[in-house]
Every structure is written in structure tokens, then in C-alpha cells.
Amino acid sequence: MTSRPATPLLDTVHSPADLKRLSDSQLRQVADELRAETISAVSETGGHLGAGLGVVELTVAIHAIFDTPRDRLIWDVSHQSYPHKILTGRRDRIRTLRMKDGLSGFTKRTESPYDPFGAAHSSTSISAALGFKVAHDLGGTPDPALGDAIAVIGDGSMSAGMAFEAMNNAGHMGKRLFVILNDNEMSIAPPTGALSSYLSRLYAEKPLQDLKAVAKGALGFFPPPFQDAAHRAKDMLKHMTVGGTMFEELGFNYIGPVDGHDMDSLLAVLRTVHDRASGPTLIHVLTKKGKGYRPAELADDKGHATAKFDVISGKQHKAPSNAPSYTKVFAQSLIKEAQADTKVVAITAAMPTGTGLDLFAEHFPERCFDVGIAEQHGVTFCAALAAGGLKPFCTMYSTFLQRGYDQVVHDVALQNLPVRFAIDRAGLVGADGATHAGSFDVAYLANLPNMVVMAAADEAELVHMVATATAHETGPIAFRFPRGEGEGVEMPERGVPLEIGKGRMIREGKRVAILSFGTRLSEVMKATEALSARGIEPSVADARFAKPLDRDLILTLARDHEALITIEEGAVGGFGSHVAQLLAEEGVFDTGLKYRSMVLPDIFIDQASPAQMYEAAGLTAADIEAKVLDVLGVARIGAKRA
């Protein structure tokens, strides 16, 4: 059993109220013990480590000064919320993080009143904080009653337009609101863009201030007779150093930079703003991702996401791979296409490692673009690259591409521009849960004019789809693939472009046909083996395309079988709905075809292993077998057992 750290003072903290009786020196001890407990817990569960370690002192200070949960504390993205969960009555469950029926890896409203607003995508916190503040002022009556609103947002998240939309609105409204900019110079990957450079200049050109002095001199916190002098002193310092701050131009009172690991400074500043602030206030806090755990500090991603690990060595306990990951197959295939075609370029939104584009960038640094957490910009950027004669691969997780949907519609599909959408993390993703599941991309893309939508059944098919997308010049095209390892199939040396809108027969059978779209094909084949043992021999086809559909293949399957079942790793409204539309328009149902569509259920599925999530979704081999037996009216032994 893993030895756990001694945490005598933390053991006495059962809620944030317990922090208020502690001295400042005791709060420093709580922070040290909280860091050790966080490391210990994540070593057993895996998860997001570095982000939480970077905000340990900040977490303790906020909960010690503010009155949570009455004061709404909103963590942007919230993968840094493990220390927060430990302090807010969930320590006894912290070693269930990201597991089935355990704690979410993100904040979640249904989990605790200390999680007032759920998150897992970035840049939403300031909008939510402003909403809570307006609700407070207009007499909203939730339980607990509304107090202050505090948004903690990282410098990477600040690169997204939504954060600035919210700040612009908040600055205009002028309401008391706290934004804590957690500046660790890193989101998942090192940040990119002008904002990152601007923040670097703020603390490179302005010496790290004594925060107790800042607290005494911050404009607006002095009694009125002293504010003029404070104003002059502040302006003089401001213009002598960086010539003003963008945040103040947006209407925020800017304080910082603050050493986010100096508890005395944090407590002094937070006490002062809590007692004196009357309008929107931004506290710029400098932290180090992975702080206090050497293996995380030394890691390229600062321990962003880890498997279970040994606390002493930091070595992660990862199962050996039996097949290459889909992400790696995609990256290697794209590299080969780029070697043969100088027009191929790759774009991601702050996820170079997660999407495999870090590998692409090693070969073609001048043809790889990380636009930061800015999916809307990324999609339109790709649209113009395509209009400019290049072959852009817009490479994003399914769940993040949702954030750029209007741009997909308005800037890509409407103009029929050949942007290639490489959609990673399609389907259910496991421990990150519903917020990161790729459930909707087929439904939200296949209904767009001009769009081609593909799904790889295995890693070899993915290679061919990368080649297909490269060769496709007449409009936008998308292909999706899941998280995790491939099926271990034989791999082609180089992809061969597929005929657009043509599927493939996998197995000829009779009575019932199963038409698979995506990587559930392996489960279909397992179900087929079990059915064969019963004397039932289904036909199996791989659709490859949700749009355009292979009309000939589908109508032939419908004509030659009494039942047709489609299966996909997506929500209702996707592939199966398009097949049903075709069959209805062709009058196939008029002749008695039995049709069933297996899709993700109309619920958000909580975190678990991918296998457990697909079991909950009813998309396993056993579920497929049962569906075939049901549609054929074959009784299952034991099906009605008590």
C-alpha cells in the first residue's frame, strides 16, 4: 500500500470555515500538507497534477479570506481543483478521482455546493462570475445565498476571446467582481501569442512587488482623502514601467504581479481587496505549474496529466501498448502526406501533444501552427489558409471543435473551402467524463451542406482517411478517430485515397445486416462470432462515410435482409438518422424492413473507464448481439430470469 503523508493540521480542516481560525503561519503549514496530500492522491488515481500543485497556496488563501460557498469561487477549466476539493469536504473521496461513481476530475455542481459552476472547457469563468454577481444584485435566491464572485483563470485560458468578451462587459458594468489571473506561463503546452508576451513583459519589466505594499497602495482601497495621492503614485509607477495595463483599459483595477507561492503576500492582498474593493478587480498572480514536486516541475508538461505514479521516483505506471495510438497513427500519416505535398499545414488550439502535432512540428515547424486556446480563430484561420491555396488540417478534439461551430458553418462550409478537420477523441473518452466526450461531431457536421464526414474503423483506415483528406480539394472534409490504442491491424506503408461516399463489405451473411460507422466495428465482429455460434450469420459492412452516404450499399443491404442495424459512437441525429432518412425517402420502410439504430443514449455519461462507459451506453458486443436477437425475435436463454 502506498504510504500517505503526515498531515496533522490538514486533518483538522473539514471545510473552509476551519481555515478561518488558523494563524497565517498555520495556513502556510496547511498549504504544505495540502500539496503533499494532493501528490499522494493523484499518485493513486492518476489525473491532472501540475495545475493543482501550482495553486495550492492560492486555494488556501482564497478559502481562508472569502466566505465560500456563499462567495462563489469559479475555477476556469477546473482541472486545478483537486486541492479545492480536499478543503471542501471531499477529502475522504479524493482517491476516487476520475473513477466510476467517484469524484469528477473537474468542478461539478451536483457534487458539492462549493462547486457553483461546472467547467472543463476553458475561458468560461469570468462570464459565470459576472452572471452570479448580477444575480446577486437583482435578488437571486439560490441556496446558499449569493455573496461575492471570484473567477480564477489561467494565462492560457485568457487567450480565448470569451474571456475578453466577459471582461469587456464586466468593466462596462463596473460591479464588484474578482478575477484572479493565475499566470504560470503554461496551459497544457507553452502559451503562444501576443497576450503571453504581454504578460511576460508585465513581470519582466515591473519588479515583483511587495504585495503588502501593493495592498496599502492600491487605488480605490484607501479612504477618500488619501485616494488622490494613491492615484498619483500608482500612475507614476505604472507609466514608469509598462505604460499602463490592458486590464485597466478594460475597466479593471489591476494589482500585481503577485508571488502566488508567498502566503503572506497572498493573504495581505486578498484581505485588502475583500474589505475595500468596490468594482471589478484583477489580481495577477504568478505561480509555477507542478510547484513542490520535482518530477512534475521537470516534466515538459509540468505534470499536466499523469497516470498513476510512484511518489518517490515520479515514474508513471502505464500499461505497455499492444498497438499504436490513433493519435500517433494520425500524426505519422500526416507527416508522410506533408513530405509529399508542401501545401499540407497543420493547426491546433493549444493541444499539440494531445493531437500528435508536436511530432508534426518536429519535421515541419514552419508549417505547424498552435493558435492557443482559440478554436473559433483556429477554424477561420484554416478557412483563409484554404482560400489561400494551402491544405490545412484543423486538428482538434471533438469536444473542443464544438467551440468553433459557427465558424465551421459560416466560414468553411458556406464558402465550400477545403479545410480538413482531423477530429481526435471521438466517442467516449474515459476518466475525463462527459465534458470531453466526442459525442456530437457527426450530428453537427453531417447536416452541413458541402461537408464530407468520415470515421475510421481502425488505425489502417485512419491512414487512408488522412490520404483521402489530403487529396480532397472540392470542399470541407472531416474524419474522426478515438482516444487510445488501435486494433493492432496490419498497417499500410502509405495511405490510399478512398472513393468519396463508398463503404466496404466486411462479411456476407443473411437475414440481418449490421452497418457500422467508426471503431465499434471491432465490437460488431465480436458479436458476430457469438451469433455464429447460435447459427445466425449477419452481414457486416463498414460505412466509412456518414456524408455522403453510400446509397447503393445501404439500399442493397436493406433489399437483401429482413433487418438492418446501424451502430455508431455518437449521439442521435448522426449517422443512423441519415440512414433512416434515406430509407424513408426511398420507401424502403413501406416494404417491411426492420430497422434499428444503436447510438449513444440521450444522457451525459459520467467518468469511468472507456469500457465501462460503453457498457453504460449499451454499445458493447453483448449489446449488439442482444439487439440482433431482439430484432429477429430470437429468445435469449436467461433473458427474463428473475
Side-chain angles (χ1 to χ4, degrees), residues 249-429:
E249 296 301 324
L250 287 170
F252 275 71
N253 192 358
Y254 171 86
I255 298 172
V258 181
D259 185 344
H261 302 297
D262 182 341
M263 185 66 79
D264 290 338
S265 295
L266 286 173
L267 291 171
V269 169
L270 292 181
R271 283 180 180 130
T272 303
V273 298
H274 177 271
D275 293 345
R276 301 289 183 85
S278 59
T281 303
L282 185 140
I283 304 105
H284 183 180
V285 177
L286 304 182
T287 63
K288 293 182 180 179
K289 198 170 185 178
K291 173 72 174 178
Y293 184 55
R294 190 68 173 164
E297 291 179 353
L298 294 176
D300 289 342
D301 67 352
K302 306 302 180 187
H304 170 71
T306 72
K308 298 177 184 180
F309 61 91
D310 176 72
V311 173
I312 303 300
S313 67
K315 184 176 180 181
Q316 296 186 42
H317 306 310
K318 292 185 177 180
S321 297
N322 296 316
S325 72
Y326 281 98
T327 298
K328 187 173 184 179
V329 169
F330 160 71
Q332 292 172 336
S333 300
L334 189 61
I335 289 167
K336 289 181 180 179
E337 296 300 327
Q339 288 169 338
D341 190 338
T342 59
K343 292 183 179 180
V344 171
V345 295
I347 298 86
T348 189
M351 296 295 294
T353 302
T355 59
L357 291 194
D358 57 334
L359 303 177
F360 184 90
E362 291 175 4
H363 291 78
F364 306 105
E366 74 287 354
R367 290 157 63 185
C368 189
F369 304 92
D370 181 356
V371 301
I373 302 177
E375 289 84 0
Q376 291 175 286
H377 159 63
V379 172
T380 301
F381 177 55
C382 287
L385 289 173
L390 296 179
K391 296 183 176 182
F393 279 75
C394 185
T395 309
M396 298 178 183
Y397 289 6
S398 171
T399 185
F400 296 152
L401 183 59
Q402 292 165 186
R403 296 160 64 93
Y405 185 59
D406 182 60
Q407 287 66 37
V408 176
V409 177
H410 182 268
D411 298 336
V412 178
L414 182 62
Q415 300 188 94
N416 199 30
L417 289 168
V419 174
R420 289 86 174 161
F421 292 96
I423 303 174
D424 201 337
R425 298 327 194 251
L428 302 177
V429 297

Side-chain angles (χ1 to χ4, degrees), residues 11-12 27 51 87 153 177 196 378 390 394 424 508 510 542 561:
D11 292 345
T12 69
L27 291 174
L87 292 180
I153 182 168
L177 174 75
S196 174
L390 296 179
C394 185
D424 201 337
E508 297 282 356
K510 56 186 179 180
D542 173 18
H561 299 81

